[in-house]
Structure formats: C-alpha cells, structure tokens
Amino acid sequence: MQTAAQCIRDGKLVAFPTETVYGLGANALNPFAVTKIFELKERPSFDPLIIHIAELADLDKLVLGHDERVHKLAANFWPGPLTLVLPKSDLVPEIVTSGLPTVGIRMPANAIAQELIKTSGCPLAAPSANKFGRISPTSAAHVRKQLPGVDYILDGGQTTVGIESTIIKLTEKGFQILRNGVITQEELETVVPFDATSKIETLSAPGMVKSHYSPRKRMLIADERTLQRIDKSKAGLISFSGRLDMGFGKVVKVSQTGDLKDYAVRLFETMHLFEEDNDIELIIAEPVAETGIGKAIMDRLRKAEFNWRQDHG
Ligand code: TXA
Ligand code: MG
C-alpha cells in the first residue's frame, strides 16, 4: 500500500479495486498525472473522469456549492456505487472533466480503494482500468491483460458489484440518470424525486457512446432470429434463467437464485472468460427484463453487442 500511495504522490498510475470494477487511478489534482490515464487507456479527451474520495470533507473542496439533496444522497448511498455530477470548483483541473463545468464524484466502498485515497492524501481521478471501448475489469488479471504498462496494481480479488456505478445529475426538479447501475431509480427515488420531465442533453453524458464494453470476438444478445442463425456448438452462453442453455458449446449460469445482482457481478467476468477461450467463436448473452438492475445489465449488453450487430446483422 505504501508503494502504491507513493506512486500516486509521484504522479504515476495505480490500478486499484473498487466494489464496482477496477479503476486506473492518478492524483486528481495533478493534470500531468491525469494525462497519463488518457494515454494509457487510449481514451478520447472528451470523455471526463470520475473523482474518488474517502471522506465527505473532500467533497466541499472539489465542488462549488451543494444543497441538502447531496447530503441526503451521500448519507444513504456513500460509500457505494453512486456517482454524483456536480458543479466543479477551481481546484479540479480541466483535463479531469474534459472542460465541462461539472465533475463526477463518488466515494467507493472498497476498503483497499479507501486506504489508497487516504494514504496518498489526495482524491483519485479514475476511470475503469480497461482500454477504451473494451470490457471493464473485475479482477487484477483483467487489468494486467489490457494495461500491462500500468505502474502498480493493487490486487483485491474479484469485485463484488461487477458493473460501474450509477451516475446521476441533479436538476431543479430532482435527479436524472446518466448511467444505470445497481443503485436503481426506485432506490434513489426514496431520497430525492426523479426528474422525468427535461431531456438529458447529449453533452451531459459525453462518454455515453453506443459502443462500449466490446469483447474481441463477436457478441450478441440472444433473440429468436439470432439463435436460429448461429452455430451454438461454437458459442458460449451467458445464461441467467437456464431456459436457453440447450445446445451451447459452453454455458456459464451467472446466478443460482435468479437474482439480477448476480448477473451484474458475473457479466464482465464471463465476457472476459469467453473472450480468452479459444474453443469459443461467439458470445451469446441472455437478455433480462428492463426493470430495476435489469436496466443497467441491458445497457451493458447493448453496448457490448453494438459493433457486432452492425457488422453481422
Ligand atoms: O464504478 C465506476 O464508476 C468506475 C469505478 C472505477 O469507480 N469508474 C468508471 O469510470 O466507470 P469510467 O471513466 O469508465 O466512466 C465514467 C463515465 C464517463 O464515461 C462519463 O460519461 C461520465 O462518467 N462522467 C464523468 N464525469 C462526468 C461529468 N462531469 N458529466 C457527465 N458525465 C460524466
Ligand atoms: Mg469505463
């Protein structure tokens, strides 16, 4: 931990576990260090980073003013997989927010992440520790596979949530969701009203491109037409209910109890597994109903299949 914290203080990059996915961290207040994140990830500079804090006191330094709703949300969901997009203070370098007047902030629940932030003594700017557009990492091995050039990796085993944080922004009427995660609209609504009226401008979620989380081999969401056209014996199925399992070359059933949280935990892990498996030519994922956590899962699946669907119909 001391070595990792020293790396951060020296302006280097450290990959670390959070409860959602592994992050690629740098001192958020050092623009030169933050530049290295964009270089190593090959991430376009228009896609802003989230800042990770360990204590609420850090929030006040990084954002301009905030209201009672922020305190309520923090009290209910932090530490945890919720990112708040708020007006940024002058302390936050432009490169972190891609020039936007707002900054995304979250307090991760993972003990190693918290210790790294505290020991380094600075907030950490950290995107997911994958190459831009590829599958997010849920283990240290996934980070090594995609980012062998990282200065240091803190290994905290498998992550416990498995998909990225829910990102929200506050408007006069309430909150809007910029990215779905395991903290759902319904849960957030118990604390702050949902703003269903105004439309989210594209600029407010600049990194929300259609293609993302893309495996190196063809991946498609299962539907009737797709299942008829493919050679199942060469396909790996990411199975949730078990109803599609027949005939597939390999099947990973992500939940034994039908809990969507399990799907979130094992989705990226299974995509990595099939991506590395030479016996598998194609990855098929079982869709789920778009309610609760199902929204976040379907969002990740659609982005993962996007390029492949374009190419192969
Ligand atoms: O769970 C997570 O959020 C993980 C872990 C490492 O904390 N991090 C993560 O970061 O998923 P990343 O960079 O892969 O995705 C963050 C997304 C960006 O694509 C961007 O769209 C959005 O957050 N974002 C960041 N700052 C924003 C801002 N000021 N306004 C709108 N969207 C913002
Ligand atoms: Mg990412």
Side-chain angles (χ1 to χ4, degrees):
M1 180 55 73
Q2 288 304 330
T3 317
Q6 191 58 46
C7 279
I8 294 290
R9 285 193 292 264
D10 291 344
K12 294 180 180 165
L13 303 184
V14 174
F16 63 97
T18 80
E19 71 278 29
T20 59
V21 299
Y22 275 69
L24 179 64
N27 177 355
L29 306 181
N30 176 348
F32 300 102
V34 174
T35 304
K36 293 181 191 165
I37 294 180
F38 286 92
E39 285 170 3
L40 189 66
K41 265 190 75 104
E42 296 166 24
R43 176 174 173 123
S45 57
F46 60 74
D47 192 359
L49 306 177
I50 294 172
I51 296 186
H52 299 67
I53 58 173
E55 279 153 15
L56 263 187
D58 296 336
L59 182 68
D60 296 320
K61 297 176 201 149
L62 300 171
V63 304
L64 279 183
H66 51 77
D67 53 56
E68 195 45 39
R69 299 175 301 174
V70 173
H71 286 285
K72 278 196 195 164
L73 288 162
N76 278 274
F77 300 105
W78 280 358
L82 178 69
T83 298
L84 303 176
V85 171
L86 300 165
K88 83 174 199 63
S89 76
D90 287 342
L91 196 63
V92 178
E94 299 259 301
I95 185 168
V96 172
T97 63
S98 304
L100 292 176
T102 55
V103 60
I105 312 250
R106 94 175 183 97
M107 189 188 290
N110 181 288
I112 296 175
Q114 289 180 1
E115 204 188 329
L116 179 64
I117 299 166
K118 285 184 191 154
T119 316
S120 313
C122 54
L124 296 181
S128 49
N130 52 283
K131 287 268 189 210
F132 182 71
R134 292 189 53 194
I135 313 168
S136 302
T138 58
S139 74
H142 297 158
V143 180
R144 266 180 229 115
K145 176 168 82 168
Q146 290 191 24
L147 303 176
V150 64
D151 296 304
Y152 199 88
I153 301 178
L154 283 167
D155 191 341
Q158 292 284 129
T159 61
T160 54
V161 169
I163 58 172
E164 298 86 347
S165 60
T166 306
I167 305 180
I168 64 171
K169 115 180 183 187
L170 294 169
T171 65
E172 277 177 21
K173 297 196 178 99
F175 70 91
Q176 294 179 329
I177 297 182
L178 304 184
R179 178 174 72 188
N180 285 294
V182 300
I183 295 181
T184 60
Q185 179 184 323
E186 293 76 14
E187 284 174 273
L188 292 163
E189 271 177 313
T190 63
V191 178
V192 171
F194 177 63
D195 176 0
T197 53
S198 45
K199 264 208 161 151
I200 298 167
E201 331 84 78
T202 18
L203 241 190
S204 66
M208 298 293 116
V209 287
K210 281 184 175 160
S211 155
H212 221 318
Y213 318 111
S214 199
R216 302 270 96 168
K217 54 180 73 148
R218 198 173 161 204
M219 170 158 170
L220 297 169
I221 299 171
D223 59 32
E224 206 115 312
R225 193 165 148 260
T226 302
L227 291 177
Q228 274 162 13
R229 283 151 40 122
I230 61 164
D231 178 356
K232 280 196 198 172
S233 69
K234 296 197 174 106
L237 175 71
I238 308 177
S239 162
F240 181 65
S241 70
R243 75 189 161 85
L244 304 175
D245 295 4
M246 282 274 288
F248 277 91
K250 287 193 180 154
V251 175
V252 170
K253 191 149 186 288
V254 290
S255 178
Q256 299 313 317
T257 56
D259 187 342
L260 283 173
K261 276 189 188 154
D262 298 337
Y263 204 153
V265 172
R266 298 197 57 202
L267 173 60
F268 290 143
E269 181 199 326
T270 312
M271 284 166 65
H272 278 286
L273 186 81
F274 285 152
E275 184 185 60
E276 289 155 28
D277 188 333
N278 292 328
D279 298 336
I280 296 292
E281 283 178 6
L282 152 79
I283 304 169
I284 299 291
E286 180 174 349
V288 291
E290 253 167 293
T291 52
I293 297 173
K295 273 190 196 156
I297 290 166
M298 289 309 292
D299 164 68
R300 303 310 189 273
L301 291 183
R302 287 211 183 88
K303 285 177 179 151
E305 77 155 9
F306 185 78
N307 289 331
W308 299 109
R309 195 54 90 183
Q310 299 297 101
D311 288 356
H312 302 278

